[in-house]
Amino acid sequence: MPKPNADSCHDSLVREHAIKTIVIIGNGAAANSAAETIRSYDPRIQVIMVARENVPEFSACALPDYLAGWVSRSQPFIKKPDDYANMGIEMHWGQSVQRIDPHTKTVATESETINYDSLIIATGSRAAVPALNGSGLRGNFVIKDVADIDAIIAHRPKHVLIVGSGNIGIEVAQALQERECKVTVIEQRERILPRIFDGEPAGRIAEILTSHGISIYTGESVVAIEGYQRVERAFTDKRAILCDTVVWAAGVRQNTELAESAGIELGKLGGISVDTGMRTNIASIFACGDCVESHDMLTGKATLSLLWTTAKDQGRIAGANSLGCKLVYPGALNLVVEDIYGQCAVSMGVNEGGLCNQDLEIFEGESEKGYWRLLVREDRIMGFQSLGITTGLGAIMALMKNRMPLRTVAKILSDQGMMRRADWYLPARPFLDRLKK
Amino acid sequence: MNRLIIIDSNKCTGCGLCQMACSIHRNGQCEASLARILIYRDEKAGIFIPMTCRQCTDPPCAAACLMNVISKDYETGITIRNLEGCISCRVCQVACPFAASIFNYLQERVENCDQCGGDPQCVKYCPYGALKYTDLTDNMDLVRDAEAKRRLLP
C-alpha cells in the first residue's frame, strides 16, 4: 500500500534519483520489510529479490505454533507467492547468489548476472549444529523453516531431546509436549533462557515447565548422539538420555560467506559490520537482518539481535537508505514475549548478564497476578522482565525506549495536572511506585 | 484530517458505560475486559483516565507484530488488523504504550479500537462528554499543551 507523501520534502528523505535497480538477496523478514519500504517510497523503481528457497515469506515465530498443531500449515506464511508480483517485485525463486562484484555492481547466480544500483544483503542465519558424533543421523532437526517442521511431524517423534533453551527451545519444548512427546531440554549455561531472563524469573519459568512434565537439565552439554541409522540415544557430559529425535536450538550462525567473499567487513561477533544507516564498508551495499551486527539501543554495545522485530526495523532502514535516504537506525531493542503454559513471560531491554555493571539497581515485586523485575542504571530503565503480567508493560517499554529519566517520571506522577497530560504512564505505576523508596 | 476519539479525562467519572457499550456492540457480551477502551482507575485520588487506541501514524504495534497483520488504512487513518493471521503472541500488547491492544479471550485474538467504522459506540454512550469523536485540530488545547511542555522540560 503506497504511503501518501512518502516522497516528501523531509530532509532525511532526500533521494538519489540515479538509483534505478535495487537487488535484495534473501526473502526473510528483513528482506521483505526492505522491499515493502522501497515500494512505499517509490512505486516505479525496479526491485529484484533473489531467494534461495521456493517459499514465500513466512514468520518463523509461528513455526512452534504450527508444530504444536495450534495453527494450520498455511498460517505461518505472511505472503502468497503472487503477492510479490502484485507489489511489482521481480522475484527470482530458488536461486542462490554465487558472487557479488562491487566493481561492476553485479550479482551472479547460477544462471544469470543481475546489475544493481543498490544491493541489500539479508541472507539471515542458519541453525548451528555442532559436528558431533551422530549429529548427522536421521532424527536430528533444526527449526528454521516450514519444511523443517514438516520433517519433524513426519518423523513422528516420541522422545525428544532439545538442545538449547533459548526462546525457540522453550517454545518447541511446549509444542512437542502438546504432541504428547516426552521432552527433555539440555542447556549448557546454568539457567534456561540465559540471554533473555535473569536467574529469578528463569527459575520460575523452569518450575512451570517441569511441573508440566518437561525435564530440564542445565549446566550440561551434549557430547555424542548414538544410534543405528537413526537417533536412539544421546549422551551429555553427565548422563545418557533415550530419545528418537534431537532438535538443535542452540544458537545460530550468520550467513556471511557471500558478503565476506565480496570483501565486506565483518564485526567482532561474526555478523556483517554496518553503520547506523545499515551501510556496509562498500558503497551502495547495505545489509540488514540476522546476518548483521548492530548495536544495542540502551547500552550501545555491538550485538547480534536475532529477533523478528529487529530484522523488520533494520530492513526498513536499509530499504529507505538504499534509495538514498539518510535514516538512522536507533539500535536493537530486545522484546521477547513467551507464552509459558498460559502465563505471559515478557523480557524487554537488556538482562543482568548483558549489563555486567556494578551500579545497576534491581527492583523486584510480586502482585497477585505475577512477578516482575526492573533493572535501572543511571536513573534510566535498562531492562524489565515479568511473568504473568500483561498490563502496564507498554508504558515501561516506551519509557525505556525514550530513555526517560525516572526523576522526570516521578515529577509527572506527583502532579495531577501533568499526570492527566501524560496519562499513558499510569498503567506502569505499580512498577514505578516502588522506585520512590 | 481524520477524525479521532478525543478523551477529556477531567470529565470521566469512571462509570464504565463506554466499556459496556463497546463490549456489547462488538462481542455481544457485557464484560469490561473485552472492551477496546479501558479506564485507568485511581479511586483514592479520584482519577479516572479512559485509554484507547490513538491510531498512531507509525504504530509501534505494527512494527512489533510478528505476523505483519497490523497496518494503516491511509484513507481513514485507522490502524487495522487482519485478524485471520493473528497468532495472539501478544507482542503488540507489550509494544503499545497506551495499553490499547486488548486481548479478546473469546476469539483468542488481540484487537484495537477501530472507531466502529466511523460511529463509535463508546462516544455515544458517554454521559459526561469525556469522549468526543471529532477532528483533532478542533480540540487542541494549545495553551495547556504549551504549559505542560514548559513544565515537563527541565
Side-chain angles (χ1 to χ4, degrees), chain A residues 35-248:
Chain A
E36 281 160 24
T37 308
I38 295 166
R39 247 316 144 253
S40 74
Y41 276 59
D42 189 326
R44 283 174 299 276
I45 204 161
Q46 188 184 19
V47 181
I48 301 173
M49 286 178 90
V50 185
R52 206 177 34 205
E53 298 93 5
N54 266 320
V55 288
E57 186 195 11
F58 62 91
S59 173
C61 313
L63 293 181
D65 298 59
Y66 164 46
L67 178 59
W70 292 317
V71 300
S72 67
R73 190 182 185 279
S74 60
Q75 185 93 25
F77 291 100
I78 291 173
K79 284 204 173 79
K80 289 182 214 54
D82 47 356
D83 281 355
Y84 294 93
N86 293 345
M87 277 177 68
I89 293 168
E90 209 178 307
M91 192 74 194
H92 293 226
W93 299 102
Q95 296 199 22
S96 62
V97 174
Q98 306 290 321
R99 204 161 30 77
I100 300 169
D101 190 342
H103 303 293
T104 55
K105 286 197 166 184
T106 52
V107 294
T109 68
E110 293 100 336
S111 54
E112 59 187 323
T113 307
I114 308 165
N115 287 310
Y116 69 83
D117 293 316
S118 288
L119 176 69
I120 298 174
I121 301 175
T123 42
S125 59
R126 57 180 182 275
V129 179
L132 292 178
N133 266 344
S135 62
L137 284 173
R138 203 145 60 82
N140 282 287
F141 295 100
V142 296
I143 307 283
K144 207 63 194 163
D145 55 41
V146 184
D148 292 330
I149 307 292
D150 290 338
I152 296 179
I153 294 172
H155 187 73
R156 294 181 185 279
K158 284 276 164 292
H159 296 265
V160 188
L161 176 71
I162 293 167
V163 188
S165 69
N167 36 2
I168 298 176
I170 295 301
E171 279 176 34
V172 168
Q174 290 184 69
L176 286 168
Q177 172 88 354
E178 183 76 18
R179 286 196 162 264
E180 295 177 349
C181 298
K182 174 86 191 73
V183 181
T184 310
V185 179
I186 297 286
E187 170 58 50
Q188 209 172 2
R189 306 266 290 269
E190 67 291 339
R191 59 165 193 270
I192 62 160
L193 295 157
R195 272 183 56 145
I196 303 164
F197 284 96
D198 291 337
E200 171 72 26
R204 285 170 187 248
I205 292 168
E207 233 170 72
I208 299 173
L209 293 174
T210 34
S211 73
H212 282 83
I214 295 174
S215 320
I216 298 172
Y217 300 113
T218 54
E220 294 181 26
S221 48
V222 175
V223 289
I225 293 161
E226 267 189 18
Y228 175 69
Q229 288 189 344
R230 55 182 284 164
V231 174
E232 281 164 16
R233 67 194 86 80
F235 294 95
T236 72
D237 38 14
K238 288 186 186 143
R239 72 193 80 227
I241 296 161
L242 280 177
C243 57
D244 52 30
T245 308
V246 178
V247 177
W248 294 94

Side-chain angles (χ1 to χ4, degrees), chain B residues 72-149:
Chain B
K72 286 299 284 186
D73 183 332
Y74 285 106
E75 271 165 34
T76 56
I78 289 179
T79 305
I80 45 174
R81 291 168 190 244
N82 167 20
L83 289 179
E84 294 280 288
C86 177
I87 56 167
S88 59
C89 63
R90 294 173 168 230
V91 170
C92 53
Q93 247 186 325
V94 178
C96 178
F98 311 117
S101 294
I102 308 285
F103 179 67
N104 181 333
Y105 73 89
L106 293 177
Q107 293 184 26
E108 298 208 328
R109 296 280 188 270
V110 185
E111 305 168 326
N112 66 314
C113 171
D114 57 2
Q115 305 181 346
C116 298
D119 180 29
Q121 297 295 310
C122 51
V123 177
K124 239 187 229 173
Y125 283 87
C126 180
Y128 303 102
L131 303 177
K132 266 184 252 163
Y133 185 55
T134 43
D135 204 298
L136 185 63
T137 41
D138 293 345
N139 275 274
M140 284 239 249
D141 190 340
L142 293 172
V143 182
R144 270 168 66 184
D145 241 357
E147 174 65 12
K149 225 174 238 169

Side-chain angles (χ1 to χ4, degrees), chain A residues 1 3-4 59 61 75 308-309 312 335 337 348 390 394 398 411-412 415 419-421 423-424 426-427 429, chain B residues 9-10 42 47 49 51 54 62-68 72 74 84-85 90 94 96 98 145 151-152:
Chain A
M1 186 186 318
K3 247 183 210 174
S59 173
C61 313
Q75 185 93 25
W308 182 260
T309 349
K312 252 168 69 171
L335 168 59
V337 181
M348 48 180 116
T390 49
K411 209 170 124 193
I412 294 168
D415 182 328
M419 192 158 77
R420 285 192 189 275
R421 282 271 137 197
D423 50 9
W424 53 275
L426 290 174
R429 217 172 169 184
Chain B
S9 59
N10 276 315
D42 187 341
I47 296 173
I49 296 174
M51 302 218 281
R54 306 204 177 184
C65 179
L66 301 182
M67 300 299 296
N68 290 3
K72 286 299 284 186
Y74 285 106
E84 294 280 288
R90 294 173 168 230
V94 178
C96 178
F98 311 117
D145 241 357
R151 287 157 77 177
L152 274 170

Side-chain angles (χ1 to χ4, degrees), chain A residues 255-299:
Chain A
N255 292 333
T256 54
E257 293 77 7
L258 178 69
E260 235 180 321
S261 68
I264 293 169
E265 267 173 29
L266 299 190
K268 280 193 209 98
L269 302 173
I272 298 173
S273 167
V274 288
D275 69 357
T276 49
M278 307 319 289
R279 299 174 194 88
T280 64
N281 61 318
I282 297 180
S284 325
I285 300 186
F286 300 79
C288 53
D290 276 10
C291 59
V292 309
E293 188 174 315
S294 57
H295 64 283
D296 192 278
M297 190 192 276
L298 302 173
T299 62

Side-chain angles (χ1 to χ4, degrees), chain A residues 308-372:
Chain A
W308 182 260
T309 349
T310 316
K312 252 168 69 171
D313 225 20
Q314 292 178 350
R316 187 174 61 80
I317 304 284
N321 288 355
S322 71
L323 287 165
C325 298
K326 300 211 163 32
L327 299 194
V328 174
Y329 180 55
L333 181 64
N334 290 343
L335 168 59
V336 177
V337 181
E338 293 286 336
D339 183 70
I340 311 286
Y341 287 104
Q343 290 231 46
C344 190
V346 179
S347 170
M348 48 180 116
V350 205
N351 74 353
E352 235 178 302
L355 287 166
C356 50
N357 195 305
Q358 285 86 8
D359 31 280
L360 183 69
E361 289 174 87
I362 297 170
F363 300 91
E364 284 179 293
E366 189 140 29
S367 64
E368 65 274 21
K369 275 186 187 157
Y371 165 87
W372 55 268

